[in-house]
Amino acid sequence: MTNNKSAFVVSADWLQERLGDPSIRILDASWYLPAQKRNPKAEYDAGHIPGAVFFDQDAIADHTSGLPHTLPSPEAFAEAVGALGVSETDTIVVYDGPGIMTAPRVWWELRIMGARNVYVLDGGMDGWHREGRPVTTEVPSPRPATFKPSFTPAAVTSLAGMKEIVANGAVQIADARGAARFYGEEAEPRAGLRSGHMPGAHSLPSGVFSENGKLKDLAALRQTFADAGVDLSKPVVTTCGSGVTAAIITLALQSLGHTDNTLYDGSWSEWGGRADTTVVTGRE
């Protein structure tokens, strides 16, 4: 990898050269909204990277929150990931279908739960297919591993924390939803949610950080934040529709060495569905 690329992203060449390496674990973390009309598990079953196991973002979640795929407890996360044969000491590569879409969420989860050597595959499975790289329908039966969690609660912003941020403006808010949803010009894909954004939020649609499924170089990432009015010398909280694509912004921030950032796990599914939260619309 060049010095101008994220240290958290690996190329398809890098991964293909290491297929079969027992120290590397590969996770397919694809997930889609209904409108995308793609079934991640069906695609995995039809052909995946050799050795990859399927990480179900809907299943490995807190089902008591009333919100889609929020973080499970560290113990529940560790049990689920350990069952996939993954330990916190492994080198872990996470991929999704389009590339730089839903894999960053699982990259973020693994890191805040204690894994250190976690990477996102540039180009995703779609790119892997386009380049004619090896695929298999063989589903691995990994030996269960022990994942020892070491949770970083400070990496996660709660509803109460988000209300405080909105009230005092001390932390910049970066929203990964599409611009039309952000400005209240388009309905949310989930029923019952208001359109619009939190006061003071910056619009950073998730797609602006990648090109052809590959994370942009560091200079381009830095310019993307500058264009959106985000000051990288100050703290940032990331948000989106349900806490998944917010992690793309987190990946971009951390790739640039920005460490003072958190992710609002409830995201718009929580904020937009409540009567006691402030929502603004329109382009200022």
Side-chain angles (χ1 to χ4, degrees), residues 14-89:
W14 185 96
L15 182 57
Q16 187 170 340
E17 288 168 7
R18 290 162 177 79
L19 291 180
D21 184 330
S23 69
I24 293 178
R25 297 289 181 265
I26 308 170
L27 300 179
D28 182 330
S30 303
W31 181 88
Y32 302 101
L33 285 166
Q36 292 173 280
K37 294 182 169 54
R38 291 180 67 167
N39 183 315
K41 184 59 165 61
E43 290 187 15
Y44 171 85
D45 290 340
H48 50 267
I49 295 175
V53 294
F54 187 71
F55 184 107
D56 188 335
Q57 295 204 44
D58 285 327
I60 303 176
D62 177 4
H63 299 288
T64 68
S65 72
L67 299 167
H69 41 242
T70 46
L71 274 176
S73 70
E75 295 74 23
F77 182 88
E79 183 179 356
V81 174
L84 296 176
V86 176
S87 160
E88 83 284 356
T89 59

Side-chain angles (χ1 to χ4, degrees), residues 57 68-69 105 108-109 239-247 263-269:
Q57 295 204 44
H69 41 242
R105 167 72 186 198
W108 173 77
E109 290 186 7
T239 182
C240 61
S242 63
V244 174
T245 58
L263 188 150
Y264 171 33
D265 200 31
S267 280
W268 203 256
S269 295

Side-chain angles (χ1 to χ4, degrees), residues 92-105:
I92 307 165
V93 178
V94 190
Y95 72 86
D96 55 44
I100 317 298
M101 184 57 63
T102 59
R105 167 72 186 198

Side-chain angles (χ1 to χ4, degrees), residues 1-7 217-219 222 255:
M1 312 307 286
T2 67
N3 291 335
N4 203 29
K5 285 288 285 184
S6 171
D217 65 35
L218 301 183
R222 195 172 284 109
S255 296

